[in-house]
Coordinates of all heavy atoms in Angstrom, one line a residue:
K9 N 4.7 13.6 -16.3 CA 5.6 12.4 -16.2 C 5.9 12.1 -14.7 O 5.8 11.0 -14.2 CB 6.9 12.6 -16.9 CG 7.8 11.4 -17.0 CD 9.0 11.6 -17.9 CE 9.8 10.3 -18.1 NZ 10.2 9.7 -16.8
L10 N 6.1 13.2 -13.9 CA 6.4 13.1 -12.5 C 5.2 12.5 -11.8 O 5.3 11.7 -10.9 CB 6.9 14.4 -11.9 CG 7.2 14.4 -10.4 CD1 8.4 13.5 -10.2 CD2 7.5 15.8 -9.9
K11 N 4.0 13.1 -12.2 CA 2.8 12.6 -11.5 C 2.6 11.1 -11.7 O 2.0 10.4 -10.8 CB 1.6 13.4 -12.1 CG 1.6 14.8 -11.7 CD 0.4 15.5 -12.3 CE 0.3 17.0 -12.1 NZ -0.8 17.7 -12.7
E12 N 3.0 10.5 -12.8 CA 2.8 9.1 -13.1 C 3.9 8.3 -12.5 O 3.8 7.1 -12.4 CB 2.8 8.9 -14.6 CG 1.6 9.5 -15.3 CD 0.2 9.0 -14.7 OE1 0.2 7.9 -14.3 OE2 -0.7 9.9 -14.6
E13 N 5.0 8.9 -12.0 CA 6.1 8.1 -11.5 C 6.1 8.1 -9.9 O 6.9 7.4 -9.3 CB 7.5 8.7 -11.9 CG 7.7 8.5 -13.4 CD 9.1 9.1 -13.9 OE1 9.7 9.8 -13.0 OE2 9.5 8.8 -15.0
V14 N 5.3 8.9 -9.3 CA 5.1 9.0 -7.9 C 3.8 8.3 -7.5 O 2.7 8.7 -8.0 CB 5.2 10.4 -7.3 CG1 5.0 10.4 -5.8 CG2 6.5 11.0 -7.7
F15 N 3.9 7.3 -6.6 CA 2.6 6.6 -6.2 C 2.4 6.7 -4.7 O 3.4 6.8 -3.9 CB 2.7 5.1 -6.6 CG 2.4 4.9 -8.1 CD1 3.4 5.2 -9.1 CD2 1.2 4.4 -8.5 CE1 3.1 5.0 -10.4 CE2 0.9 4.2 -9.8 CZ 1.8 4.5 -10.8
I16 N 1.2 6.7 -4.4 CA 0.8 6.8 -3.0 C 0.2 5.5 -2.5 O -0.7 4.9 -3.1 CB -0.3 7.9 -2.8 CG1 0.0 9.2 -3.6 CG2 -0.5 8.2 -1.3 CD1 1.3 9.8 -3.1
K17 N 0.7 5.0 -1.3 CA 0.2 3.8 -0.8 C -0.4 4.1 0.6 O 0.2 4.7 1.5 CB 1.3 2.7 -0.6 CG 0.8 1.5 0.1 CD 1.9 0.4 0.1 CE 1.4 -0.8 0.9 NZ 0.2 -1.5 0.4
H18 N -1.7 3.8 0.7 CA -2.4 4.1 2.0 C -2.5 2.8 2.8 O -2.8 1.7 2.3 CB -3.9 4.5 1.7 CG -4.0 5.9 1.2 ND1 -4.3 7.0 2.0 CD2 -3.9 6.4 -0.1 CE1 -4.3 8.1 1.2 NE2 -4.1 7.7 -0.1
V19 N -2.2 2.8 4.1 CA -2.4 1.7 5.0 C -3.4 2.2 6.0 O -3.1 3.0 6.9 CB -1.1 1.2 5.7 CG1 -1.4 0.0 6.6 CG2 -0.1 0.9 4.6
K20 N -4.7 1.8 5.9 CA -5.7 2.3 6.8 C -6.2 1.2 7.7 O -7.1 0.4 7.4 CB -6.9 2.8 5.9 CG -6.5 3.9 5.0 CD -7.6 4.4 4.1 CE -7.3 5.5 3.2 NZ -8.4 5.8 2.3
G21 N -5.6 1.1 8.9 CA -5.9 0.0 9.8 C -4.7 -0.7 10.3 O -3.6 -0.5 9.8
P22 N -4.8 -1.5 11.4 CA -3.7 -2.2 12.0 C -3.1 -3.2 11.0 O -3.8 -3.8 10.2 CB -4.3 -3.0 13.2 CG -5.7 -3.1 12.9 CD -6.1 -1.9 12.1
L23 N -1.8 -3.3 11.0 CA -1.1 -4.3 10.1 C -0.6 -5.4 11.1 O 0.4 -5.3 11.8 CB 0.1 -3.6 9.5 CG 0.9 -4.5 8.5 CD1 0.0 -5.0 7.3 CD2 2.1 -3.7 7.9
F24 N -1.4 -6.5 11.0 CA -1.1 -7.7 11.9 C -1.1 -8.9 11.1 O -1.4 -8.9 9.9 CB -2.0 -7.7 13.1 CG -3.4 -8.0 12.8 CD1 -4.0 -9.2 13.1 CD2 -4.2 -7.1 12.0 CE1 -5.3 -9.5 12.8 CE2 -5.5 -7.4 11.7 CZ -6.1 -8.6 12.1
F25 N -0.9 -10.1 11.8 CA -0.8 -11.3 11.0 C -2.0 -11.7 10.2 O -2.0 -12.4 9.3 CB -0.4 -12.5 11.9 CG -1.5 -12.8 12.9 CD1 -2.4 -13.8 12.7 CD2 -1.4 -12.2 14.2 CE1 -3.4 -14.1 13.6 CE2 -2.4 -12.5 15.2 CZ -3.4 -13.5 14.9
G26 N -3.2 -11.1 10.6 CA -4.4 -11.4 9.8 C -4.5 -10.5 8.5 O -5.4 -10.8 7.7
S27 N -3.6 -9.5 8.4 CA -3.8 -8.7 7.2 C -2.5 -8.6 6.4 O -2.4 -7.8 5.4 CB -4.2 -7.2 7.6 OG -3.3 -6.7 8.5
T28 N -1.5 -9.3 6.7 CA -0.2 -9.2 6.0 C -0.3 -9.7 4.6 O 0.4 -9.0 3.7 CB 0.9 -10.0 6.7 OG1 0.4 -11.4 6.9 CG2 1.3 -9.5 8.1
S29 N -1.0 -10.7 4.3 CA -1.1 -11.2 2.9 C -1.7 -10.2 2.0 O -1.3 -9.9 0.9 CB -1.8 -12.5 2.8 OG -3.2 -12.4 3.3
E30 N -2.8 -9.5 2.5 CA -3.5 -8.4 1.7 C -2.5 -7.2 1.5 O -2.5 -6.6 0.5 CB -4.7 -8.0 2.4 CG -5.9 -9.0 2.4 CD -5.8 -10.0 3.5 OE1 -4.8 -10.0 4.3 OE2 -6.6 -10.9 3.6
F31 N -1.7 -6.9 2.6 CA -0.8 -5.8 2.5 C 0.3 -6.1 1.4 O 0.6 -5.3 0.6 CB -0.1 -5.6 3.8 CG 1.0 -4.6 3.8 CD1 0.8 -3.3 3.8 CD2 2.4 -5.0 3.7 CE1 1.8 -2.3 3.8 CE2 3.4 -4.1 3.7 CZ 3.1 -2.8 3.7
Q32 N 0.8 -7.3 1.4 CA 1.8 -7.7 0.4 C 1.2 -7.7 -1.0 O 1.9 -7.3 -2.0 CB 2.4 -9.1 0.7 CG 3.3 -9.0 2.0 CD 3.7 -10.3 2.5 OE1 2.9 -11.3 2.5 NE2 4.9 -10.4 3.0
S33 N -0.1 -8.2 -1.2 CA -0.7 -8.1 -2.5 C -0.9 -6.7 -3.0 O -0.7 -6.4 -4.1 CB -2.1 -8.8 -2.4 OG -2.0 -10.2 -2.0
L34 N -1.2 -5.8 -2.0 CA -1.4 -4.4 -2.4 C -0.1 -3.8 -2.8 O 0.0 -3.0 -3.8 CB -1.9 -3.7 -1.2 CG -2.7 -2.3 -1.4 CD1 -3.9 -2.6 -2.2 CD2 -3.1 -1.7 -0.1

């Protein structure tokens, strides 16, 4: 149950105005 309630989010690369929409979608 705990394994399914904890999620991992990877951000691999710069977070700038060209990638914000994809970040929010993720």
Side-chain angles (χ1 to χ4, degrees):
K9 188 175 188 300
L10 181 62
K11 292 178 183 178
E12 295 303 323
E13 289 180 351
V14 177
F15 280 79
I16 314 298
K17 177 174 174 58
H18 290 262
V19 182
K20 299 177 182 177
L23 184 58
F24 69 112
F25 65 90
S27 59
T28 52
S29 59
E30 288 83 359
F31 174 79
Q32 289 169 324
S33 299
L34 203 62

